[in-house]
Amino acid sequence: MSRLQVVSGKGGTGKTTVAAALALALATEGKRTLLVEVEGRQGIAQLFETEALPYEERKIAVAPGGGEVYALAIDAEQALLDYLQMFYKLGSAGRALKKLGAIDFATTIAPGVRDVLLTGKACEAVRRKDRNGRFVYDYVVMDAPPTGRITRFLNVNDEVAGLARIGPIHNQAQAVMRVLKSPETAVHLVALLEEMPVQETADGIAELRAARLPVGRVIVNMVRPQVLDDSALELVASVPRSSVARSLSSAGLGGARRGGHAERLVEPLLAQAEEYAERYALETEQRAVLADLGVPLHELPLLAEGMDLAGLYALARKLREQDVT
């Protein structure tokens, strides 16, 4: 099982929710997981119903079996200060650079620097060991940028290593890429059973493979329950309206006479059934497209009650049942 689990997906697919559920699912039987946020949206704090995350690793949840989930919102400026201290021992000089605005310049203007810092911090957590030589975290889960940016985001260290031929920057970039392009890492993509998210997922997998980054799984989120089986769907287009009215009447929903309550229900009910049949056909088609991508495919249900902490634990349980962990 890869120790760095990167979760990406088209905006609106619920990738942050899936990343959080995955972190909970992995933190079972005493395991310890770090959930990393890199986009500064504080989405993790909202999901776990806790205060905004600082730039420090903080325990935010306990999983079934006693496992623990920690979370970290990586701040690019603070990560750069850490970097300057780690490699150049700047200390107070680094803080002075921040006051002068150099840190803000480097993290917002210099090409790729911000992404290097974010991926570097996550990979450092993957490699970190305690005094006994054991990994501090069993797994690190990254709530990564959307699918359209994920390959460039993860591959930026390759570009930096090529630009800086020697020195600590070169060595750091190479160390990060050794993690990102190894079996230690898996990049999962979150999709919906809709044409645009599915197409973006397919494009994202192609780009990741071209960059030799390890593709993990496709997780289809917010899947609606099937309310009509195949035989019922076939009847939708062919059943006589009068038969439907008689069935409604026999079920106690009014008389079948013209203008009766049961007859007035026929058209709205059949319209809903036809709409469902159309959506079901589209979802079946998109599911087939995803199945052809050659990666494991998993599904998470749409939660009728909306997303809250209980729902997050329910999704984590679904992931464990599907052996995603």
Side-chain angles (χ1 to χ4, degrees):
M1 185 68 181
S2 301
R3 297 187 57 252
L4 176 58
Q5 306 273 315
V6 180
V7 180
S8 180
K10 179 177 170 57
T13 60
K15 69 176 180 64
T16 298
T17 298
V18 173
L22 180 60
L24 271 172
L26 290 167
T28 56
E29 305 304 324
K31 296 289 194 301
R32 179 182 289 184
T33 301
L34 176 65
L35 179 56
V36 175
E37 182 177 75
V38 299
E39 294 185 284
R41 295 184 293 105
Q42 290 293 336
I44 291 171
Q46 295 174 31
L47 283 170
F48 284 94
E49 301 175 4
T50 186
E51 60 189 17
L53 297 173
Y55 181 63
E56 63 181 38
E57 292 157 23
R58 172 179 294 179
K59 186 166 75 172
I60 59 170
V62 176
E68 297 175 331
V69 176
Y70 285 72
L72 169 66
I74 301 179
D75 177 85
E77 288 190 9
Q78 292 296 327
L80 182 52
L81 288 174
D82 287 350
Y83 181 90
L84 293 173
Q85 173 60 23
M86 183 185 306
F87 292 108
Y88 297 102
K89 310 299 181 187
L90 288 186
S92 59
R95 291 188 291 274
L97 286 173
K98 181 177 181 180
K99 290 180 180 179
L100 292 172
I103 301 298
D104 181 63
F105 172 82
T107 56
T108 58
I109 305 300
V113 168
R114 185 177 183 277
D115 291 350
V116 168
L117 296 167
L118 298 175
T119 54
K121 186 67 177 177
C123 289
E124 182 276 326
V126 172
R127 298 190 303 260
R128 192 188 315 158
K129 295 183 178 181
D130 60 21
R131 294 178 180 178
N132 298 317
R134 295 176 298 193
F135 287 115
V136 172
Y137 295 106
D138 297 287
Y139 300 101
V140 176
V141 178
M142 181 194 293
D143 177 22
T147 316
R149 294 200 298 116
I150 186 62
T151 300
R152 178 65 187 274
F153 173 76
L154 295 176
N155 215 36
V156 70
N157 286 276
D158 247 359
E159 299 176 17
V160 170
L163 292 172
R165 296 292 183 181
I166 59 173
I169 294 177
H170 173 82
N171 295 337
Q172 167 71 0
Q174 280 198 322
V176 170
M177 290 314 301
R178 279 196 295 271
V179 174
L180 294 179
K181 291 193 173 182
S182 77
E184 281 191 283
T185 298
V187 185
H188 310 302
L189 297 184
V190 181
L192 303 178
L193 290 176
E194 299 172 5
E195 188 172 356
M196 287 186 64
V198 167
Q199 184 59 55
E200 192 160 317
T201 298
D203 293 342
I205 288 176
E207 290 175 4
L208 289 166
R209 286 172 171 164
R212 294 180 290 110
L213 288 162
V215 178
R217 304 163 186 264
V218 171
I219 301 173
V220 183
N221 196 24
M222 293 185 273
V223 177
R224 298 179 180 90
Q226 182 174 354
V227 296
L228 297 176
D229 59 23
D230 291 340
S231 59
L233 287 170
E234 290 179 7
L235 283 174
V236 169
S238 60
V239 64
R241 267 50 177 172
S242 57
S243 296
V244 177
R246 284 195 297 271
S247 296
L248 291 172
S249 179
S250 65
L253 294 175
R257 60 181 172 80
R258 176 168 294 279
H261 183 53
E263 191 170 89
R264 291 197 302 270
L265 286 175
V266 171
E267 291 303 326
L269 284 174
L270 288 179
Q272 281 191 334
E274 289 167 358
E275 180 183 342
Y276 172 81
E278 182 179 344
R279 190 181 73 230
Y280 179 80
L282 173 64
E283 291 176 347
T284 300
E285 178 183 334
Q286 298 306 313
R287 187 180 278 111
V289 173
L290 291 173
D292 286 340
L293 295 176
V295 299
L297 184 63
H298 304 274
E299 297 189 2
L300 289 175
L302 175 67
L303 300 179
E305 300 81 8
M307 180 52 60
D308 56 13
L309 194 55
L312 196 59
Y313 275 84
L315 293 182
R317 184 169 61 252
K318 289 290 184 182
L319 289 173
R320 288 195 298 272
E321 290 172 357
Q322 297 180 56
D323 199 28
V324 174
T325 60

